[in-house]
Amino acid sequence: MEAQDIKKIVLAYSGGLDTSIIIPWLKEHYNNAEIIGVCTNVGQEEDWEAMEAKAKASGASKLYIMDIREEFVKEYLFRLVRAGAKYEGRYLLGTSIARPLQAKCQVEVALKEGADAVAHGCTGKGNDQVRFELTYKALAPQLQVIAPWRIWDISSREDAIEYAQKHNIPIGNISKTNIYSRDANLWHMSHEGGDLEDPWNRPREEMFQLTKSPKEAPDKETEVVVDFVKGFPVGLNGEKMTPIALLETLNKLAAENGIGRDDIIETRVVGMKSRGVYETPGGTILMRAMEELEMICMEWDTLGYKKLMSQKYADLVYAGKYYTTFRASMDAFFDKACEYVTGSVKLVLYKGNIILGGKKSPYSLYLEDLASFGRSSYDHKDATGFINLYGLATGVAAMVHKKIDPDEGQGPQMKEIAATFHDK
């Protein structure tokens, strides 16, 4: 589709620097097309009443503001917790998991409005361009995709600020001296850019927005019990709570106790390394609680394979492959694997630390009678036969490779095997 044929464009609008300047840029380069913004509320702090006025001041004909917090927490974040997904073993995927849902909402508006194209403000270096566009392809491949950062002459945030100033576009408190790129939602806040681009620089304390420094956290322990049903968080301290209330409560507790900060060098989808400093207070607690509970509720094979699946799930979410058969199939696996992951985990929060205080489950596989060092129903003699069979292949291989003397074989079975190979 040629630029002159595009009459209506639906833009993923955040009200930030990039999407604010994209609106007039699209109108200039796409024959004064109608621009409709879609802003999704996933828990970020915004002046929602002023958001529509800001979008229209930049040239949009209308702005959809969609409150998707409940769906975000229940259907996306808590599935992430159940999966135990951490990208490269560290990143808790706060931005990654939000983008597919935000892009889905944008597509729904585009189809409703009869738009010709969808647009986003993601840079050509980052991961978000992949996440948005893979969602477009999965849900509405017929829509034209416009990615201004990949085709315009603006090459830096400084250039973007100058463009906004020249065109009298309101950009809030963003300036050349306040240049951190941030993304926030109910799960986390990320910080990138500025002095963080040198990995030798320690993050400045004033940069953090959500969490206290552990040094400033209370000099006393805070105890919290997280309750789960089938791998999903359902309450705190025995009180059932809505997903949003549960997460907001944990965010407050964790932030007050200096919990949830992480400084990560990660591998972007496009291949380069990048640095992000993240604040994920409540999510850090939930991930730890889930790890503790599954250890007493899952048998060895399922737990081991779930760990492998967790990493793959994280990779898919990070790369934007959310609306795929593979991701849906993995969630089906977690449905079954976590069928009996029900119980409670007691955690103690103290100056940036999460200390296990205890865990219990009606489906606990930990049996004190079997595990006890005291008297129990376990028969120690059973271990002899088990080890002989369990180690049979190891013993045979050693004898074949080393031609061990039959007199060195352990037990009649091994002596017979050793003698066979010794005669050869």
Side-chain angles (χ1 to χ4, degrees):
M1 184 180 292
E2 298 295 329
Q4 64 268 19
D5 298 324
I6 295 176
K7 307 299 183 184
K8 187 181 292 187
I9 303 169
V10 172
L11 169 68
Y13 181 79
S14 68
L17 173 61
D18 296 341
T19 55
S20 293
I21 65 172
I22 282 173
I23 294 174
W25 186 90
L26 287 172
K27 294 180 76 69
E28 289 175 10
H29 292 80
Y30 288 86
N31 200 28
N32 200 35
E34 180 184 358
I35 312 299
I36 298 171
V38 176
C39 187
T40 49
N41 180 1
V42 286
Q44 70 273 35
E45 289 189 8
E46 297 284 356
D47 185 347
W48 297 107
E49 292 183 1
M51 184 73 74
E52 184 175 5
K54 185 177 181 181
K56 288 183 176 179
S58 298
S61 64
K62 68 174 73 170
L63 178 69
Y64 284 80
I65 298 177
M66 307 173 72
D67 188 345
I68 56 174
R69 289 174 296 172
E70 183 175 355
E71 182 180 6
F72 180 49
V73 178
K74 182 179 179 181
E75 300 297 335
Y76 290 75
L77 291 180
F78 281 6
R79 286 183 182 274
L80 204 67
V81 172
R82 185 182 65 168
K86 300 178 183 180
Y87 181 66
E88 295 184 330
R90 293 277 295 280
Y91 174 42
L92 300 187
L93 298 164
T95 298
S96 311
I97 192 64
R99 296 307 188 225
L101 176 56
Q102 292 172 307
K104 177 173 79 79
C105 293
Q106 181 188 3
V107 167
E108 289 170 353
V109 170
L111 296 178
K112 175 183 175 181
E113 290 282 349
D116 306 299
V118 286
H120 60 74
C122 310
T123 73
K125 284 185 176 181
N127 301 304
D128 281 345
Q129 58 181 336
V130 181
R131 296 162 185 157
F132 272 95
E133 294 184 35
L134 289 189
T135 299
Y136 302 155
K137 289 180 182 297
L139 303 181
Q142 72 274 21
L143 292 173
Q144 183 85 7
V145 177
I146 303 172
W149 267 101
R150 301 205 296 258
I151 54 179
W152 63 14
D153 295 329
I154 296 171
S155 59
S156 67
R157 289 180 64 78
E158 290 84 355
D159 290 347
I161 290 169
E162 289 182 7
Y163 182 94
Q165 292 170 342
K166 288 179 181 178
H167 290 75
N168 297 315
I169 299 169
I171 58 174
N173 65 349
I174 297 172
S175 69
K176 293 180 182 178
T177 57
N178 180 21
I179 201 167
Y180 288 121
S181 175
R182 290 187 170 102
D183 179 73
N185 56 46
L186 277 168
W187 191 243
H188 87 157
M189 178 178 285
S190 63
H191 312 269
E192 294 180 302
D195 58 307
L196 295 177
E197 292 183 351
D198 182 348
W200 187 250
N201 290 335
R202 180 176 179 177
R204 301 175 185 176
E205 185 58 37
E206 60 267 24
M207 181 200 71
F208 293 99
Q209 304 287 303
L210 302 181
T211 56
K212 279 188 176 182
S213 165
K215 292 191 300 182
E216 303 300 323
D219 191 16
K220 63 178 182 179
E221 295 182 343
T222 299
E223 187 176 284
V224 63
V225 177
V226 185
D227 305 313
F228 289 86
V229 172
K230 296 185 177 182
F232 290 114
V234 296
L236 299 176
N237 303 317
E239 178 186 350
K240 189 173 182 181
M241 303 176 73
T242 65
I244 293 178
L246 190 156
L247 183 54
E248 287 180 335
T249 301
L250 284 182
N251 278 338
K252 185 176 179 180
L253 284 175
E256 181 69 16
N257 285 278
I259 289 167
R261 295 182 178 184
D262 209 353
D263 186 344
I264 304 172
I265 300 289
E266 67 198 53
T267 309
R268 288 182 178 173
V269 177
V270 295
M272 70 184 70
K273 294 285 186 179
S274 68
R275 184 189 188 188
V277 177
Y278 301 99
E279 297 178 85
T280 319
T284 300
I285 292 177
L286 286 175
M287 285 292 192
R288 174 65 186 277
M290 179 60 184
E291 289 171 358
E292 295 292 346
L293 185 60
E294 67 186 12
M295 289 179 71
I296 64 169
C297 295
M298 283 188 180
E299 42 76 33
W300 186 79
D301 288 313
T302 304
L303 179 60
Y305 200 76
K306 180 181 182 289
K307 296 297 184 184
L308 298 176
M309 295 281 280
S310 295
Q311 185 59 61
K312 192 62 181 177
Y313 196 90
D315 291 346
L316 255 69
V317 170
Y318 189 84
K321 297 181 179 180
Y322 196 83
Y323 300 110
T324 61
T325 301
F326 191 19
R327 195 277 307 163
S329 298
M330 281 194 286
D331 268 323
F333 167 81
F334 294 130
D335 282 342
K336 184 64 180 177
C338 296
E339 184 177 6
Y340 298 105
V341 183
T342 294
S344 301
V345 178
K346 179 168 56 180
L347 298 172
V348 179
L349 317 179
Y350 180 69
K351 286 189 172 294
N353 296 289
I354 301 176
I355 304 161
L356 177 64
K359 48 189 171 182
K360 62 181 181 179
S361 169
Y363 303 108
S364 174
L365 301 179
Y366 174 85
L367 301 181
E368 187 175 349
D369 175 64
L370 285 177
S372 174
F373 284 99
R375 292 181 179 276
S376 75
S377 59
Y378 180 79
D379 189 344
H380 292 261
K381 295 177 182 178
D382 291 342
T384 302
F386 165 74
I387 294 171
N388 283 338
L389 290 175
Y390 190 67
L392 180 63
T394 302
V396 169
M399 290 173 182
V400 171
H401 298 158
K402 299 177 182 178
K403 304 292 185 178
I404 294 176
D405 188 277
D407 292 333
E408 296 180 12
Q410 296 182 16
Q413 185 181 30
M414 286 299 183
K415 286 182 182 291
E416 183 177 345
I417 294 172
T420 300
F421 287 101
H422 184 73
D423 292 342
K424 291 181 180 179

